[in-house]
Amino acid sequence: MSRSASARANRRGEPPPSPEPLPAPALDSHTHLDIVLGERPADDEHGEWATDEAVDAEIAAAAAVGVPRLVQVGVDVPSSRWSAALAARHPSVLAAVALHPNEAGAGKADGQALDAALAEIDRLAALPRVRAVGETGLDRFRTGPEGWAAQEASFRAHIRIAKARGVALVIHDRDAHEEILRVLEDEGAPEHTVFHCFSGDVAFAKACVERGFVLSFAGTLTFGNAGYLREAAALTPVDQLLVETDAPFLTPMPHRGRPNASRLVPHTVRALSEVTGVELTELCAGLTATAERVFGPWDTGSG
């Protein structure tokens, strides 16, 4: 891409060009295609969503660089419905459904409305290609103390849904490590529990690994100031590792500051290979095996 074309892409908010393909298939265990392709409606499920053609093109771009498996993640009822519908029609995609903790703690709905939203998440979690409840958890950064009780109540409800439906739990943990562990120990963690965009240090990583949890690393692993994350990843067994984008957020180096996309996963996978000392092809196979253990088969017909 030329310098001028790159500048135009920045102004349009387009993700950077695709990197060199991986030598073996890997995956993106956490993406928000609805946001990548156009900000989703805040509260109108009948609003304008990304077209099937745009979604298919984004999925194809990821597959072209060795990322044929995606987990599309909902953060509220409308986006969870959209995620479930996408997974139902696309063999490369599985879905996760939930109310994001900042949604739950924002005081947007009374108790009756929250109960109705959780009931819908429970209904969606029973669909065959919805394989996780998340992202749920606790966020002490964007939600103030007045919302913490509602966040925790929602988190507990999501844990129970995941266990009842026999699917994975995907956790959003921001500045709430010890509180997250406390709730998981109190409720009992599901068989498969994933810390999305793992943000802890070595001590917290050890605590999670000892409990059998899976740590998913995003583009933050590549940031210059993220030595603590690289140390955490280095001690995590391959069968407890996943990789993700959280697209369009957390874009890996060398494109930090640009919008993220699933086709940029190879940057993070290569960084993870360097950090862990696991050869790249072997690591791709390990990440895929972990993902299929946690989420079940994709049935993509590739890799």
Side-chain angles (χ1 to χ4, degrees):
M1 180 181 287
S2 69
R3 187 182 299 270
S4 61
S6 177
R8 289 197 302 273
N10 272 322
R11 285 198 298 271
R12 290 198 304 267
E14 294 178 0
S18 297
E20 179 184 351
L22 292 167
L27 76 148
D28 182 353
S29 73
H30 192 113
T31 187
H32 303 280
L33 280 165
D34 49 324
I35 307 177
V36 170
L37 295 168
E39 189 69 37
R40 59 183 176 78
D43 52 18
D44 180 8
E45 66 194 79
H46 303 297
E48 291 297 322
W49 295 85
T51 65
D52 288 353
E53 292 80 7
V55 172
D56 291 348
E58 197 66 32
I59 293 170
V65 296
V67 186
R69 298 171 178 84
L70 312 178
V71 180
Q72 161 63 28
V73 179
V75 296
D76 55 18
V77 168
S79 64
S80 292
R81 287 172 176 158
W82 188 88
S83 299
L86 174 62
R89 79 167 182 84
H90 211 296
S92 294
V93 179
L94 298 177
V97 298
L99 308 179
H100 191 284
N102 289 329
E103 290 288 319
K108 294 180 180 179
D110 60 23
Q112 186 174 3
L114 182 59
D115 288 347
L118 289 168
E120 179 64 0
I121 296 301
D122 182 40
R123 183 190 72 81
L124 293 169
L127 297 175
R129 289 186 66 80
V130 174
R131 304 289 180 77
V133 168
E135 61 188 278
T136 182
L138 302 175
D139 189 313
R140 299 310 197 224
F141 180 78
R142 294 201 179 280
T143 296
E146 69 282 356
W148 291 357
Q151 277 194 354
E152 183 169 323
S154 175
F155 183 28
R156 289 177 180 275
H158 282 79
I159 293 170
R160 294 166 189 162
I161 292 170
K163 290 164 69 174
R165 296 302 184 183
V167 297
L169 181 74
V170 174
I171 292 176
H172 172 104
D173 165 22
R174 190 163 188 184
D175 296 347
H177 303 329
E178 297 307 318
E179 293 94 332
I180 291 278
L181 291 183
R182 172 180 56 79
V183 173
L184 287 172
E185 290 173 2
D186 190 29
E187 291 288 335
E191 179 182 1
H192 300 300
T193 297
V194 178
F195 275 75
H196 136 68
C197 186
F198 185 79
S199 60
D201 59 11
V202 167
F204 188 60
K206 286 180 179 177
C208 292
V209 167
E210 289 170 357
R211 290 164 170 78
F213 302 152
V214 173
L215 312 187
S216 182
F217 289 88
T220 44
L221 184 77
T222 71
F223 295 177
N225 62 353
Y228 68 100
L229 288 181
R230 291 185 281 275
E231 292 176 0
L235 69 81
T236 305
V238 173
D239 64 358
Q240 288 176 259
L241 278 175
L242 284 173
V243 67
E244 65 174 89
T245 58
D246 197 25
F249 314 109
L250 307 181
T251 308
M253 298 295 289
H255 302 296
R256 185 177 182 181
R258 298 278 298 277
N260 206 355
S262 294
R263 62 179 178 268
L264 301 182
V265 161
H267 291 298
T268 305
V269 176
R270 288 187 166 93
L272 195 58
S273 177
E274 293 180 7
V275 165
T276 60
V278 179
E279 189 272 330
L280 187 57
T281 301
E282 180 184 347
L283 178 61
C284 290
L287 293 169
T288 298
T290 299
E292 292 196 336
R293 187 184 79 248
V294 170
F295 301 114
W298 266 257
D299 302 323
T300 64
S302 60

